[in-house]
Amino acid sequence: MKNIVIIGMMGCGKSTCGRYLSEFTGLPLVDTDQLITERTGKTPSEIFAQQGEQYFRDLETDLCRELSEQSGLIIATGGGLPLREENRRLLRENGVVVFLSRPAEDIFNPEKLKDRPLAQMGKENFLRRFEERVPIYREMAHYEVESAPVKAETAKKVLAVWEKETGVLSLES
Ligand code: S3P
């Protein structure tokens, strides 16, 4: 069974969606930021500050190599993971990729994004980064799902994709 890979801008709700999907399907959740934190003992924000962004991106690529050899996982990615072509290729190899889209104006909330190093440069910078990334997310994704006001509803839309792809019906259907 293929992995289901959730991509999208920081703060769009990928981790929450992943948790719901894991609950609905009974499949294990891998949250790339969380796994990197478990393995290094540092949050992405600490790694950015101490070793720099490139080092963090290398850790993401190592993880993509590992995950591309596994199946039946729900994978919630960090927002910048799709930026590297190699990561896009690796996760598509054995995964159905869903771009969770949400308007930038809804996402940009300095309080909620205070632990994201790349969201600390003001709204204009955030909106520009968003515009640059959307085509990359679209290039990687097999499906685009718009985020709904209620998080469980968003996850159900992604679940419908998973059911279509796997032919398996979950208890939530
Ligand atoms: C990043 C997003 C973060 C985290 C890091 C870099 C990005 O993950 O990986 O701060 O470049 O968009 P979330 O998308 O879970 O916030």
Short mmCIF file of all heavy atoms in Angstrom, two decimals, residues 66-102:
data_model
loop_
_atom_site.label_atom_id
_atom_site.label_comp_id
_atom_site.label_asym_id
_atom_site.label_seq_id
_atom_site.Cartn_x
_atom_site.Cartn_y
_atom_site.Cartn_z
N GLU A 66 14.77 7.36 3.32
CA GLU A 66 14.32 6.27 4.20
C GLU A 66 12.83 5.98 3.97
O GLU A 66 12.42 4.83 3.82
CB GLU A 66 14.57 6.76 5.63
CG GLU A 66 14.56 5.72 6.67
CD GLU A 66 14.83 6.38 8.05
OE1 GLU A 66 15.72 7.25 8.17
OE2 GLU A 66 14.09 6.03 8.99
N LEU A 67 12.03 7.02 3.92
CA LEU A 67 10.57 6.84 3.83
C LEU A 67 10.14 6.31 2.46
O LEU A 67 9.10 5.66 2.35
CB LEU A 67 9.86 8.16 4.15
CG LEU A 67 10.05 8.66 5.59
CD1 LEU A 67 9.44 10.04 5.76
CD2 LEU A 67 9.44 7.68 6.59
N SER A 68 10.93 6.62 1.44
CA SER A 68 10.54 6.17 0.09
C SER A 68 10.65 4.64 -0.02
O SER A 68 10.16 4.05 -0.97
CB SER A 68 11.41 6.83 -0.98
OG SER A 68 12.71 6.30 -0.92
N GLU A 69 11.31 4.03 0.96
CA GLU A 69 11.41 2.56 0.94
C GLU A 69 10.38 1.91 1.85
O GLU A 69 10.37 0.70 2.03
CB GLU A 69 12.82 2.15 1.36
CG GLU A 69 13.82 2.56 0.30
CD GLU A 69 15.24 2.24 0.66
OE1 GLU A 69 15.49 1.69 1.74
OE2 GLU A 69 16.09 2.56 -0.19
N GLN A 70 9.52 2.73 2.45
CA GLN A 70 8.50 2.17 3.34
C GLN A 70 7.13 2.40 2.74
O GLN A 70 6.94 3.25 1.89
CB GLN A 70 8.58 2.84 4.71
CG GLN A 70 9.91 2.56 5.41
CD GLN A 70 10.03 3.25 6.74
OE1 GLN A 70 9.05 3.46 7.42
NE2 GLN A 70 11.23 3.64 7.09
N SER A 71 6.16 1.62 3.23
CA SER A 71 4.81 1.78 2.68
C SER A 71 3.77 1.75 3.80
O SER A 71 4.07 1.39 4.94
CB SER A 71 4.54 0.67 1.66
OG SER A 71 4.79 -0.57 2.27
N GLY A 72 2.57 2.17 3.43
CA GLY A 72 1.46 2.15 4.40
C GLY A 72 1.61 3.18 5.51
O GLY A 72 1.12 2.97 6.61
N LEU A 73 2.25 4.29 5.20
CA LEU A 73 2.43 5.34 6.22
C LEU A 73 1.62 6.57 5.86
O LEU A 73 1.39 6.85 4.68
CB LEU A 73 3.90 5.77 6.30
CG LEU A 73 4.96 4.74 6.66
CD1 LEU A 73 6.35 5.38 6.55
CD2 LEU A 73 4.73 4.22 8.08
N ILE A 74 1.23 7.31 6.89
CA ILE A 74 0.72 8.66 6.68
C ILE A 74 1.91 9.57 6.96
O ILE A 74 2.48 9.52 8.05
CB ILE A 74 -0.40 9.02 7.70
CG1 ILE A 74 -1.49 7.95 7.78
CG2 ILE A 74 -0.93 10.42 7.47
CD1 ILE A 74 -2.43 7.92 6.63
N ILE A 75 2.30 10.38 6.00
CA ILE A 75 3.49 11.23 6.19
C ILE A 75 3.07 12.70 6.14
O ILE A 75 2.57 13.18 5.12
CB ILE A 75 4.55 10.94 5.11
CG1 ILE A 75 4.93 9.45 5.11
CG2 ILE A 75 5.78 11.82 5.32
CD1 ILE A 75 5.90 9.04 4.00
N ALA A 76 3.26 13.40 7.26
CA ALA A 76 3.02 14.85 7.29
C ALA A 76 4.39 15.51 7.18
O ALA A 76 5.28 15.24 8.00
CB ALA A 76 2.33 15.25 8.59
N THR A 77 4.58 16.31 6.16
CA THR A 77 5.91 16.88 5.88
C THR A 77 6.07 18.30 6.42
O THR A 77 5.08 19.01 6.63
CB THR A 77 6.14 16.94 4.36
OG1 THR A 77 5.14 17.80 3.79
CG2 THR A 77 6.07 15.59 3.70
N GLY A 78 7.33 18.72 6.59
CA GLY A 78 7.61 20.12 6.87
C GLY A 78 7.31 20.91 5.60
O GLY A 78 7.46 20.39 4.49
N GLY A 79 6.92 22.18 5.77
CA GLY A 79 6.49 22.99 4.62
C GLY A 79 7.54 23.21 3.54
O GLY A 79 7.21 23.46 2.38
N GLY A 80 8.83 23.10 3.93
CA GLY A 80 9.88 23.37 2.95
C GLY A 80 10.44 22.10 2.31
O GLY A 80 11.28 22.17 1.41
N LEU A 81 9.98 20.97 2.76
CA LEU A 81 10.53 19.69 2.25
C LEU A 81 10.39 19.54 0.74
O LEU A 81 11.32 19.08 0.08
CB LEU A 81 9.88 18.53 3.02
CG LEU A 81 10.34 17.13 2.69
CD1 LEU A 81 10.33 16.25 3.94
CD2 LEU A 81 9.47 16.50 1.62
N PRO A 82 9.26 19.96 0.14
CA PRO A 82 9.13 19.79 -1.32
C PRO A 82 10.05 20.68 -2.15
O PRO A 82 10.09 20.56 -3.37
CB PRO A 82 7.66 20.13 -1.59
CG PRO A 82 6.97 19.98 -0.28
CD PRO A 82 8.00 20.40 0.74
N LEU A 83 10.80 21.59 -1.49
CA LEU A 83 11.62 22.52 -2.27
C LEU A 83 12.73 21.81 -3.04
O LEU A 83 13.14 22.26 -4.10
CB LEU A 83 12.25 23.58 -1.34
CG LEU A 83 11.24 24.49 -0.62
CD1 LEU A 83 11.98 25.46 0.28
CD2 LEU A 83 10.36 25.23 -1.62
N ARG A 84 13.22 20.70 -2.52
CA ARG A 84 14.28 19.96 -3.24
C ARG A 84 13.66 18.95 -4.20
O ARG A 84 12.81 18.15 -3.79
CB ARG A 84 15.16 19.18 -2.24
CG ARG A 84 16.17 20.05 -1.57
CD ARG A 84 17.25 19.20 -0.94
NE ARG A 84 18.18 20.04 -0.22
CZ ARG A 84 19.11 19.58 0.59
NH1 ARG A 84 19.24 18.28 0.79
NH2 ARG A 84 19.92 20.42 1.20
N GLU A 85 14.14 19.00 -5.41
CA GLU A 85 13.61 18.10 -6.44
C GLU A 85 13.76 16.65 -6.02
O GLU A 85 12.87 15.82 -6.21
CB GLU A 85 14.37 18.39 -7.76
CG GLU A 85 13.69 17.82 -8.99
CD GLU A 85 14.02 16.36 -9.24
OE1 GLU A 85 15.09 15.89 -8.85
OE2 GLU A 85 13.16 15.68 -9.83
N GLU A 86 14.88 16.33 -5.40
CA GLU A 86 15.12 14.94 -4.98
C GLU A 86 14.05 14.47 -3.97
O GLU A 86 13.56 13.35 -4.04
CB GLU A 86 16.52 14.84 -4.34
CG GLU A 86 16.86 13.41 -3.95
CD GLU A 86 18.25 13.26 -3.34
OE1 GLU A 86 18.96 14.27 -3.15
OE2 GLU A 86 18.58 12.11 -3.03
N ASN A 87 13.69 15.36 -3.05
CA ASN A 87 12.66 15.00 -2.06
C ASN A 87 11.32 14.76 -2.73
O ASN A 87 10.57 13.85 -2.38
CB ASN A 87 12.49 16.12 -1.01
CG ASN A 87 13.76 16.38 -0.23
OD1 ASN A 87 14.72 15.64 -0.35
ND2 ASN A 87 13.76 17.43 0.57
N ARG A 88 11.00 15.61 -3.71
CA ARG A 88 9.73 15.45 -4.42
C ARG A 88 9.69 14.09 -5.11
O ARG A 88 8.72 13.35 -5.01
CB ARG A 88 9.53 16.56 -5.47
CG ARG A 88 9.49 17.96 -4.90
CD ARG A 88 8.87 18.96 -5.87
NE ARG A 88 9.67 19.31 -7.02
CZ ARG A 88 10.62 20.24 -7.05
NH1 ARG A 88 10.94 20.91 -5.95
NH2 ARG A 88 11.27 20.52 -8.17
N ARG A 89 10.81 13.76 -5.78
CA ARG A 89 10.87 12.51 -6.52
C ARG A 89 10.79 11.31 -5.55
O ARG A 89 10.02 10.38 -5.77
CB ARG A 89 12.19 12.45 -7.31
CG ARG A 89 12.37 11.22 -8.16
CD ARG A 89 13.70 11.23 -8.90
NE ARG A 89 14.87 11.42 -8.04
CZ ARG A 89 15.38 10.49 -7.24
NH1 ARG A 89 14.82 9.30 -7.18
NH2 ARG A 89 16.44 10.75 -6.50
N LEU A 90 11.54 11.38 -4.46
CA LEU A 90 11.57 10.25 -3.52
C LEU A 90 10.20 9.97 -2.92
O LEU A 90 9.74 8.83 -2.88
CB LEU A 90 12.57 10.54 -2.39
CG LEU A 90 14.05 10.41 -2.74
CD1 LEU A 90 14.92 11.06 -1.68
CD2 LEU A 90 14.42 8.93 -2.91
N LEU A 91 9.52 11.01 -2.47
CA LEU A 91 8.24 10.76 -1.79
C LEU A 91 7.12 10.40 -2.76
O LEU A 91 6.15 9.75 -2.39
CB LEU A 91 7.85 11.95 -0.90
CG LEU A 91 8.72 12.14 0.34
CD1 LEU A 91 8.11 13.15 1.29
CD2 LEU A 91 8.98 10.83 1.09
N ARG A 92 7.26 10.82 -4.02
CA ARG A 92 6.26 10.43 -5.03
C ARG A 92 6.43 8.97 -5.45
O ARG A 92 5.48 8.34 -5.88
CB ARG A 92 6.37 11.32 -6.28
CG ARG A 92 5.57 12.61 -6.18
CD ARG A 92 5.79 13.43 -7.44
NE ARG A 92 5.23 12.78 -8.63
CZ ARG A 92 4.04 13.08 -9.17
NH1 ARG A 92 3.30 14.02 -8.64
NH2 ARG A 92 3.62 12.44 -10.25
N GLU A 93 7.67 8.47 -5.30
CA GLU A 93 7.97 7.11 -5.73
C GLU A 93 6.99 6.10 -5.16
O GLU A 93 6.52 5.21 -5.84
CB GLU A 93 9.40 6.72 -5.27
CG GLU A 93 10.39 6.64 -6.39
CD GLU A 93 11.81 6.52 -5.85
OE1 GLU A 93 12.05 5.76 -4.88
OE2 GLU A 93 12.66 7.25 -6.40
N ASN A 94 6.75 6.23 -3.86
CA ASN A 94 5.89 5.25 -3.21
C ASN A 94 4.76 5.94 -2.44
O ASN A 94 4.29 5.42 -1.42
CB ASN A 94 6.73 4.39 -2.25
CG ASN A 94 5.97 3.17 -1.81
OD1 ASN A 94 5.09 2.71 -2.52
ND2 ASN A 94 6.28 2.67 -0.62
N GLY A 95 4.33 7.11 -2.93
CA GLY A 95 3.32 7.83 -2.17
C GLY A 95 2.31 8.55 -3.05
O GLY A 95 2.61 8.93 -4.18
N VAL A 96 1.12 8.70 -2.49
CA VAL A 96 0.11 9.56 -3.11
C VAL A 96 0.25 10.89 -2.39
O VAL A 96 0.14 10.96 -1.15
CB VAL A 96 -1.31 8.99 -2.87
CG1 VAL A 96 -2.35 9.91 -3.48
CG2 VAL A 96 -1.41 7.59 -3.43
N VAL A 97 0.53 11.94 -3.16
CA VAL A 97 0.85 13.22 -2.54
C VAL A 97 -0.35 14.16 -2.60
O VAL A 97 -0.92 14.40 -3.68
CB VAL A 97 2.07 13.88 -3.24
CG1 VAL A 97 2.45 15.18 -2.55
CG2 VAL A 97 3.26 12.92 -3.27
N VAL A 98 -0.71 14.68 -1.43
CA VAL A 98 -1.85 15.60 -1.34
C VAL A 98 -1.37 16.96 -0.88
O VAL A 98 -0.75 17.08 0.19
CB VAL A 98 -2.91 15.06 -0.34
CG1 VAL A 98 -4.08 16.02 -0.23
CG2 VAL A 98 -3.39 13.67 -0.75
N PHE A 99 -1.63 17.97 -1.69
CA PHE A 99 -1.31 19.35 -1.32
C PHE A 99 -2.50 19.92 -0.55
O PHE A 99 -3.61 20.04 -1.10
CB PHE A 99 -1.03 20.17 -2.59
CG PHE A 99 -0.96 21.67 -2.41
CD1 PHE A 99 -0.50 22.26 -1.23
CD2 PHE A 99 -1.37 22.52 -3.45
CE1 PHE A 99 -0.44 23.64 -1.08
CE2 PHE A 99 -1.32 23.90 -3.31
CZ PHE A 99 -0.86 24.46 -2.12
N LEU A 100 -2.25 20.24 0.71
CA LEU A 100 -3.31 20.83 1.54
C LEU A 100 -3.24 22.33 1.34
O LEU A 100 -2.29 22.98 1.80
CB LEU A 100 -3.02 20.45 2.99
CG LEU A 100 -4.13 20.58 3.99
CD1 LEU A 100 -5.30 19.71 3.57
CD2 LEU A 100 -3.63 20.11 5.36
N SER A 101 -4.20 22.88 0.62
CA SER A 101 -4.09 24.30 0.31
C SER A 101 -5.00 25.13 1.22
O SER A 101 -6.09 24.69 1.60
CB SER A 101 -4.40 24.56 -1.17
OG SER A 101 -5.76 24.39 -1.42
N ARG A 102 -4.47 26.26 1.58
CA ARG A 102 -5.20 27.20 2.46
C ARG A 102 -4.70 28.60 2.12
O ARG A 102 -3.48 28.78 1.94
CB ARG A 102 -4.85 26.83 3.91
CG ARG A 102 -5.70 27.48 4.92
CD ARG A 102 -5.40 26.93 6.30
NE ARG A 102 -6.00 27.79 7.29
CZ ARG A 102 -5.68 27.81 8.57
NH1 ARG A 102 -4.76 27.01 9.03
NH2 ARG A 102 -6.28 28.63 9.38
#
